[in-house]
Amino acid sequence: MVNEKLQSIVDQFVLEGPVAEIKPLGAGFINDTFKVNTIGDASDYILQRKNKTIFTDVPAMMNNICMVTEHIRRKVINAGGDPLREVLTVVKTKNGKLCYQDAEGEYWAMCVFIGHSVTYERADSPALCYKGGQGIGRFQSQLVDFAQPLFETIKGFHNIRWRFVQWDESLKADKAGRVGCLSKEIEWINSRRDEMLGFWQKVETGEIPMRVTHNDTKISNILFDEQGEVLCVIDLDTVMSSTSLNDFGDAVRSYTNTGAEDDKELDKVSMNIELFKAYTEGYLSERRATLTSSEKEWLAFSARYITYEQVFRFLMDYIDGDTYYKIAYPEHNLVRTHAQYRLLQSMESQYEEMCDIVRQNSY
Ligand code: GN1
Ligand code: MG
């Protein structure tokens, strides 16, 4: 995309200073992200083209983000913190809207770039895992009393019952003609179906409560200051009502993996229990007082649940012909499926230890 086009989009928003340059940033699977640098002392910004195929109602999603960040901002101010650095600030358009729709129908949104901040691609030390756990724990704590209804940005995002509806349809449709070659992988999913639905039933009956959660808790979604303390959680597209456990499980899935999410060398993939312990300690240091006993009881299981769901989502996208996740090569989603399955097996074999660690840090 030529810069003129990006410049004309940026011009729709209320910025503090003139733009010096606009450059691509990061490697998300879903949106396209740009850093907008301004001239002089004015703030810099993040510009994103939101993926409207995945986020079917971008204005409603932006409204969620706005409500949640304003709630957190009040908490930060009351605690004497810095409201421009400890929470994201959404930038409005000149028409007072939270996003801009261009002539092609694409949605764009901006927020203030938080300078002098650090992000990490991997949570590879216990100290960093502890901090990450604190970050997500604090984010959830700040929203524990958030009472307004939130729009469901992606239907049934971590709801395995809904995922099975999609799954059954995908297998039947066999859009890419791949189902015939995937009997082993399909069995991985089917053999755990009852166990996973059993867990989700506890959410459906209210035994595990719904709360406001982030839903994409990888370490790169936390900003740290230059001293290594958590500033705030970013990438709020999927903030919606879910269970606290899903955030915990997704962080464990992404933090503790000794390999890459799409590792071709499966022997490199496993769950590092030391990193699990550190994350759990950091998370429970913030949430110990506000989680119910049922949430604590199922916390360790949530890592298996979310990792299973990720195996499932990559495999389903492969079956559907790679329409959801960006892929770098044709078999990418299948490689991801195998790597996440190896991680799931590693969690299953260390499950008793995981439960012990949660129990030791629960009270
Ligand atoms: C997607 O694009 P990114 O990295 O924010 C996905 C997550 C997956 C993750 C797997 C909205 O996140 O749910 O866990 O890829 N986000 C969405 O890496 O589907
Ligand atoms: Mg994301």
Side-chain angles (χ1 to χ4, degrees), residues 209-240:
M210 294 295 269
R211 300 182 185 269
V212 180
T213 55
H214 184 277
N215 295 305
D216 188 7
T217 49
K218 60 173 82 88
I219 189 80
S220 58
N221 281 340
I222 298 182
L223 288 189
F224 293 85
D225 68 16
E226 286 164 335
Q227 286 70 46
E229 295 302 323
V230 173
L231 277 173
C232 63
V233 179
I234 58 172
D235 187 7
L236 305 180
D237 293 348
T238 50
V239 168
M240 55 189 147

Side-chain angles (χ1 to χ4, degrees), residues 64-72 139 143 146 150 212 239:
N64 280 357
I65 296 176
C66 191
M67 288 196 294
V68 161
T69 51
E70 287 316 309
H71 184 92
I72 295 178
F139 177 81
L143 293 166
F146 184 94
L150 287 174
V212 180
V239 168

Side-chain angles (χ1 to χ4, degrees), residues 144-211:
V144 121
D145 57 344
F146 184 94
Q148 293 141 278
L150 287 174
F151 170 71
E152 191 176 24
T153 313
I154 298 180
K155 182 175 160 58
F157 194 52
H158 287 313
N159 174 343
I160 210 76
R161 194 177 299 285
W162 169 242
R163 294 275 177 203
F164 274 119
V165 172
Q166 297 176 315
W167 171 253
D168 292 339
E169 282 170 9
S170 286
L171 287 189
K172 213 164 120 203
D174 192 13
K175 278 190 208 139
R178 289 169 168 170
V179 167
C181 306
L182 297 169
S183 47
K184 176 180 69 183
E185 291 82 358
I186 289 170
E187 181 54 23
W188 295 343
I189 301 301
N190 287 339
S191 62
R192 292 164 177 82
R193 185 172 181 138
D194 291 346
E195 183 182 37
M196 296 299 161
L197 282 170
F199 169 76
W200 192 250
Q201 204 177 10
K202 296 184 188 307
V203 178
E204 291 165 331
T205 60
E207 186 183 330
I208 296 173
M210 294 295 269
R211 300 182 185 269

Side-chain angles (χ1 to χ4, degrees), residues 296-331:
K296 288 171 184 167
E297 188 186 332
W298 288 94
L299 202 56
F301 188 82
S302 73
R304 287 168 56 187
Y305 178 83
I306 289 289
T307 307
Y308 171 83
E309 184 196 285
Q310 196 65 67
V311 176
F312 191 127
R313 292 173 64 196
F314 285 144
L315 182 57
M316 195 157 70
D317 197 31
Y318 185 68
I319 291 172
D320 289 344
D322 310 307
T323 55
Y324 189 92
Y325 292 107
K326 289 181 190 165
I327 53 169
Y329 52 90
E331 302 295 293

